[in-house]
Amino acid sequence: MDKLLTIQEMSRLTGLSAHTLRYYEKEGMLEGVARSEQGYRVYSEADVSWVQFLVILRELDIPIREMKRYSSLRSQGPSTVHERRLMLEAHQLRVEQQMLKLGENLEKIAGKIQYYKEMEEDIEIGLRRKRRQKCP
Amino acid sequence: MDKLLTIQEMSRLTGLSAHTLRYYEKEGMLEGVARSEQGYRVYSEADVSWVQFLVILRELDIPIREMKRYSSLRSQGPSTVHERRLMLEAHQLRVEQQMLKLGENLEKIAGKIQYYKEMEEDIEIGLRRKRRQKCP
DNA sequence: GTACAGTTTAGAGCGCGCTCTAATGCAACT
DNA sequence: AGTTGCATTAGAGCGCGCTCTAAACTGTAC
């Protein structure tokens, strides 16, 4: 166990490009990544879990700025657990509201789709009628 | 009825800034907006409905590029109804998948929040124990 | 008449989140 | 020895969707 990974393997496991992994690290969201003798990054399994968590935050549309704040809190240790929880709860709420909004808008779009379907049928009937007139 | 509106009133009714309304028009998403004698934009109620529809598309994260395509189809008349429906259905599917993904990620975040809550309780208990040792 | 608030345009600028480039280096293979 | 392939860095560049600026004009109020 405790496999050590290259940046490519990390990329494959997280879906982030090597470029993006370096970028996240430069921005302070990935502290303490080990290096090989040659200066290459060597990721631990703990790093993998953490980056996978960052990916979840990104997929929830949490801005980089907030992710940096969260990372900073995390690196300050357990005393920041409460504040971290508050951050997560705030975003949880925001995403829930966003999902509601998406749901509403999906319904409106569905209405429009239904309307278009009916229009298409009417056009079809119109065509059929024309054809009948042409070749009786 | 058939009230005519200034750009400010349009802005208020749609939530888009006057800047953005002009931008959308410049990009070809709002064709045939009338002008007053002084060259000021004058929006009709039909314009309002259309812009409100555009806002829904934006809220569903449909890129401007696609909205331009859709607008172009619309201005070509009823013969494009089928293609418009296909576009809407494609985005409908995309948004549904996105909502699923959001739901999954929300669950993971909820798990983390729960975990933090337990940590906070443990810290509380630890503190209480310390206090008892101090002042018995 | 003049200040004020609103409008117009073309075009510049911006914040975000990457994404890519160029120059350099190391390790293994032929 | 040379080629291939992966890594490193600092920093430039990019696509998106606005957002703002500057200069000019108009109608309304005082």
Side-chain angles (χ1 to χ4, degrees):
Chain A
M1 318 293 132
D2 223 58
K3 215 186 155 236
L4 299 177
L5 306 156
T6 67
I7 198 165
Q8 292 253 326
E9 290 164 328
M10 187 66 159
S11 171
R12 201 176 38 75
L13 286 178
T14 60
L16 299 178
S17 73
H19 285 305
T20 302
L21 286 168
R22 290 190 205 103
Y23 164 67
Y24 277 16
E25 188 177 335
K26 192 163 55 178
E27 293 295 310
M29 293 181 282
L30 256 117
E31 290 175 50
V33 174
R35 295 294 178 119
S36 72
E37 290 174 5
Q38 304 87 30
Y40 291 5
R41 283 171 183 80
V42 175
Y43 295 97
S44 70
E45 290 190 350
D47 292 329
V48 177
S49 313
W50 171 241
V51 173
Q52 282 171 342
F53 179 69
L54 288 178
V55 169
I56 289 173
L57 296 185
R58 275 308 289 134
E59 286 177 353
L60 290 172
D61 292 318
I62 292 172
I64 296 287
R65 181 177 7 95
E66 292 275 300
M67 286 167 54
K68 284 158 88 166
R69 171 94 187 114
Y70 190 96
S71 305
S72 154
L73 289 174
R74 181 181 107 111
S75 69
Q76 286 167 51
S79 67
T80 63
V81 160
H82 181 66
E83 191 171 349
R84 279 185 261 167
R85 175 163 71 88
L86 293 181
M87 279 188 69
L88 293 184
E89 283 174 345
H91 286 299
Q92 193 179 38
L93 188 61
R94 197 186 41 71
V95 175
E96 279 163 3
Q97 286 167 348
Q98 187 203 341
M99 283 179 74
L100 282 180
K101 188 80 191 171
L102 286 176
E104 285 170 25
N105 285 335
L106 271 187
E107 274 181 35
K108 291 177 192 159
I109 291 297
K112 192 113 185 173
I113 287 170
Q114 194 50 42
Y115 173 68
Y116 278 166
K117 271 185 185 162
E118 284 160 20
M119 273 190 76
E120 289 177 52
E121 272 177 30
D122 290 352
I123 291 167
E124 261 304 298
I125 289 164
L127 285 180
R128 239 174 271 149
R129 215 171 264 148
K130 247 190 213 153
R131 246 177 280 149
R132 228 175 299 136
Q133 287 172 349
K134 243 185 188 166
C135 348
Chain B
M1 320 292 133
D2 221 56
K3 217 187 153 233
L4 298 178
L5 307 157
T6 67
I7 198 164
Q8 292 250 327
E9 291 163 327
M10 187 64 159
S11 171
R12 201 177 36 76
L13 284 178
T14 61
L16 298 178
S17 74
H19 285 304
T20 302
L21 285 168
R22 289 190 205 103
Y23 164 68
Y24 277 17
E25 187 177 337
K26 193 163 56 176
E27 292 296 309
M29 293 182 281
L30 256 118
E31 290 174 49
V33 174
R35 295 294 178 120
S36 73
E37 290 173 4
Q38 304 86 27
Y40 292 4
R41 284 172 183 80
V42 175
Y43 296 98
S44 70
E45 290 189 350
D47 292 329
V48 178
S49 313
W50 171 240
V51 173
Q52 282 171 344
F53 179 68
L54 288 178
V55 168
I56 289 172
L57 295 186
R58 275 307 290 133
E59 286 178 353
L60 290 171
D61 291 319
I62 292 172
I64 297 287
R65 183 178 3 97
E66 292 275 300
M67 286 167 53
K68 285 158 88 166
R69 171 94 186 114
Y70 190 96
S71 306
S72 154
L73 289 173
R74 182 180 107 112
S75 69
Q76 285 167 50
S79 67
T80 63
V81 160
H82 181 65
E83 191 171 350
R84 279 185 261 167
R85 173 164 71 87
L86 293 182
M87 278 187 71
L88 293 185
E89 283 174 345
H91 286 300
Q92 192 178 38
L93 188 62
R94 197 186 42 70
V95 175
E96 280 164 2
Q97 286 166 350
Q98 187 203 341
M99 283 180 73
L100 282 179
K101 188 80 190 171
L102 285 176
E104 286 171 25
N105 286 334
L106 270 188
E107 275 182 34
K108 290 178 192 160
I109 292 297
K112 193 113 184 171
I113 288 169
Q114 194 50 42
Y115 173 68
Y116 278 166
K117 273 186 186 163
E118 285 160 19
M119 272 189 78
E120 289 177 53
E121 274 178 29
D122 289 352
I123 290 167
E124 262 305 298
I125 290 166
L127 285 180
R128 237 174 273 151
R129 214 171 266 150
K130 246 192 213 152
R131 244 178 283 150
R132 227 175 298 140
Q133 285 172 353
K134 244 186 189 165
C135 350

